[in-house]
Amino acid sequence: MSYCVNCGVELAEYEKCCPLCDTEVINPKSPFDPKIKKPYPTYTPTIKAKPEAKSVLAIVAIIFMLPCALCLLADILTYKSITWSAYVLIGLAAVFSLVASSLYCRKISPILEEGFDGAVLALTAMYVNYETGGTWFLTFALPVIGYFTFTMIAITLMKKILKPFILSILGGSCFVIALFCVLVDVLLTLSIGIGRYVVGWSLFPLVTLFIIGTALLFIDKNIPLKRKLAKMFFI
């Protein structure tokens, strides 16, 4: 009888490798005989098949059809026409389009997915603006959605270019999000008239995110500090 040199488990004569840690058995006195029947079946790992995108999209479509039908029916029975349910339908259609883009466009290119999502959001906002007779689409919604799309594309590119430097990616994302908050604050004041100052509440996330982003970039560049923090937080 022999024992595994790695974990110490007792080995049978027919063992070619340790059944516990898979270490090769080297025992010249008891050579491996493949004809000897093993007391247990050979382990064969099973690979879980991923569901097809078409199947997932069909299930999502069925789930979305129920609230669409209920809202449309309630609107028609109450007002004898399509009024508020149109906004629900266009919103659910936009969400469905975003789900579809994540299933199909991401396989082609993540940047294509971000661009498609931005276009869907812009078209949805334009429809709501048109139906409500508003003037906020060109002055507020379109710049915000455009910068949001640019933000997502920039983060995607940083993940590709700076893949090993996760802290630099997070730091750069903090800077981009901070500027996005400032843009929203300025456009809310100039186009809609919300707020007393051109730059108001956005100063708080701006300062906070810039400090966090700078700290993350500094840690990512300082290798000894980065290793020390990794050991401290068991990363």
Side-chain angles (χ1 to χ4, degrees):
M1 189 64 65
S2 60
Y3 299 88
C4 177
V5 296
N6 183 47
C7 64
V9 71
E10 188 175 0
L11 303 173
E13 294 182 356
Y14 51 77
E15 299 287 2
K16 184 178 180 181
C17 60
C18 175
L20 182 62
C21 65
D22 204 33
T23 302
E24 183 181 0
V25 175
I26 302 175
N27 188 353
K29 295 183 179 180
S30 299
F32 172 72
D33 187 359
K35 297 181 181 180
I36 298 178
K37 186 179 179 180
K38 296 182 179 180
Y40 53 85
T42 304
Y43 172 72
T44 304
T46 56
I47 302 175
K48 295 182 179 180
K50 295 183 179 180
E52 294 184 358
K54 292 182 180 179
S55 303
V56 176
L57 199 61
I59 295 173
V60 174
I62 294 173
I63 294 173
F64 273 55
M65 288 174 61
L66 179 60
C68 288
L70 291 176
C71 292
L72 189 62
L73 180 63
D75 193 14
I76 293 176
L77 291 177
T78 305
Y79 298 98
K80 308 302 180 182
S81 63
I82 299 176
T83 56
W84 57 268
S85 62
Y87 300 106
V88 178
L89 295 178
I90 194 68
L92 291 176
V95 175
F96 179 78
S97 299
L98 297 178
V99 174
S101 70
S102 66
L103 293 174
Y104 288 98
C105 296
R106 181 164 289 272
K107 294 180 179 180
I108 303 173
S109 172
I111 297 177
L112 177 62
E113 179 192 6
E114 306 299 346
F116 180 82
D117 293 348
V120 170
L121 294 176
L123 291 174
T124 304
M126 184 173 63
Y127 172 80
V128 175
N129 178 76
Y130 173 77
E131 289 294 326
T132 56
T135 58
W136 45 266
F137 176 73
L138 293 176
T139 58
F140 176 73
L142 186 60
V144 170
I145 294 173
Y147 187 84
F148 175 77
T149 305
F150 165 77
T151 299
M152 300 307 297
I153 292 176
I155 293 175
T156 302
L157 290 175
M158 284 191 294
K159 288 170 63 177
K160 281 188 174 182
I161 298 173
L162 304 173
K163 190 174 182 180
F165 307 100
I166 183 64
L167 295 181
S168 295
I169 297 173
L170 294 175
S173 301
C174 288
F175 296 147
V176 177
I177 295 172
L179 295 176
F180 176 75
C181 293
V182 175
L183 176 66
V184 173
D185 191 11
V186 171
L187 292 178
L188 282 174
T189 304
L190 296 179
S191 63
I192 305 179
I194 299 178
R196 297 173 56 187
Y197 306 100
V198 176
V199 179
W201 58 267
S202 61
L203 288 176
F204 299 100
L206 175 68
V207 174
T208 303
L209 290 173
F210 258 81
I211 293 174
I212 295 175
T214 304
L216 290 173
L217 290 177
F218 175 77
I219 293 173
D220 205 19
K221 297 297 181 181
N222 193 325
I223 303 300
L225 177 61
K226 184 178 178 180
R227 291 176 178 174
K228 185 176 180 180
L229 292 174
K231 291 181 180 179
M232 184 182 300
F233 295 101
F234 302 99
I235 300 176

